Amino acid sequence: MSAAPTEKREHLYKILVIGELGTGKTSFIKRYVHQFFSQNYRATIGVDFALKVLNWDQNTIIRLQLWDIAGQERFGNMTRVYYKEAVGAFIVFDVTRSATFDAVIKWKQDLDSKVQLPDGKPIPCILLANKSDQQKQGIVTTPAKLDEYVKEHGFAGWFETSAKENVNIEEAAKSLVNKILTNDKQINAGELMDTDRFALAGGKTDPTQKKSCAC
């Protein structure tokens, strides 16, 4: 007899794509989800989102809900609503405009203050140095400095990306999903341990122990 097919596990993960206006957040998502690039995008108003389905391995399907948060939303109270239940994020800056990199730390602080993993740690966040097909300026011209910056500010890593030339789009996304899956396993393992501890705490008393009486 043939073995019954293994039931596939499905995960739905919410990922934020944030950063200053005009850094290429929408282009990054369109390239990743639809393998499409256009020079003509209107600025995102508020929030937009797209769904990417990954056949991760033989037994796992991952659905990524990518939330494209408008660059002008950073100081709005709505970001707390947008960030809710996110498990990973990309912060995008434009390598041709140093000012968009200067704003990265504000986005990271905003993110870390408004959403955390169940254990209280920050959600994994990858920094994208986007538009790498164009003339670079600032820190991105010295990768070693960007390595230091990423470690210092608690990023999960960084990639030079080009939505136009399709450079490092898949690689960046795969890296973030790997981090999310690792956190998921650790959180689930922790929950199982808590369940076991609860079962032990609520288990039967040792029959050899004499009961004390307060009468």
Side-chain angles (χ1 to χ4, degrees):
M1 286 175 69
S2 59
T6 309
E7 191 174 333
K8 290 201 172 191
R9 292 187 301 273
E10 290 200 23
H11 301 280
L12 176 64
Y13 294 134
K14 177 178 175 178
I15 292 176
L16 307 172
V17 184
I18 57 182
E20 291 295 278
L21 196 65
T23 53
K25 300 182 296 295
T26 303
S27 296
F28 169 79
I29 292 172
K30 295 279 188 197
R31 172 61 81 182
Y32 180 52
V33 175
H34 305 294
Q35 291 301 313
F36 173 79
F37 177 80
S38 168
Q39 297 279 14
N40 306 310
Y41 285 126
R42 286 175 301 181
T44 303
I45 306 298
V47 65
D48 197 4
F49 49 88
L51 187 70
K52 172 83 169 180
V53 180
L54 303 172
N55 291 302
W56 190 255
D57 59 33
Q58 260 187 311
N59 304 317
T60 314
I61 293 172
I62 295 175
R63 297 176 196 278
L64 300 180
Q65 202 179 60
L66 294 132
W67 285 56
D68 180 359
I69 313 290
Q72 66 268 36
E73 289 291 330
R74 182 178 72 240
F75 301 112
N77 294 325
M78 287 303 292
T79 54
R80 191 177 294 279
V81 177
Y82 297 153
Y83 291 177
K84 196 177 178 187
E85 295 180 354
V87 293
F90 294 107
I91 294 180
V92 188
F93 74 97
D94 177 349
V95 299
T96 71
R97 292 188 291 140
S98 292
T100 64
F101 175 76
D102 296 338
V104 162
I105 190 61
K106 292 176 184 173
W107 282 100
K108 183 71 163 69
Q109 288 167 347
D110 189 53
L111 179 72
D112 291 348
S113 70
K114 290 176 180 172
V115 63
Q116 293 89 30
L117 295 171
D119 61 4
K121 291 178 183 172
I123 63 172
C125 179
I126 286 181
L127 183 62
L128 301 183
N130 197 35
K131 306 190 184 180
S132 64
D133 55 284
Q134 297 181 38
Q135 186 70 40
K136 300 171 193 140
Q137 59 171 256
I139 194 171
V140 75
T141 60
T142 317
K145 283 189 179 176
L146 202 42
D147 286 340
E148 284 175 27
Y149 178 91
V150 159
K151 282 181 190 168
E152 184 185 342
H153 296 291
F155 284 90
W158 72 278
F159 288 84
E160 273 193 25
T161 55
S162 167
K164 183 179 181 181
E165 302 293 336
N166 197 15
V167 175
N168 279 338
I169 304 296
E170 295 280 342
E171 290 81 355
K174 192 171 184 179
S175 177
L176 185 59
V177 172
N178 271 317
K179 305 252 187 263
I180 291 167
L181 285 169
T182 300
N183 285 336
D184 227 5
K185 283 174 187 166
Q186 289 172 349
I187 289 160
N188 289 336
E191 285 174 356
L192 285 171
M193 284 174 69
D194 286 344
T195 306
D196 290 344
R197 279 198 289 270
F198 178 78
L200 286 167
K204 292 178 182 174
T205 54
D206 187 341
T208 62
Q209 288 182 337
K210 290 181 180 178
K211 289 184 181 177
S212 60
C213 180
C215 52

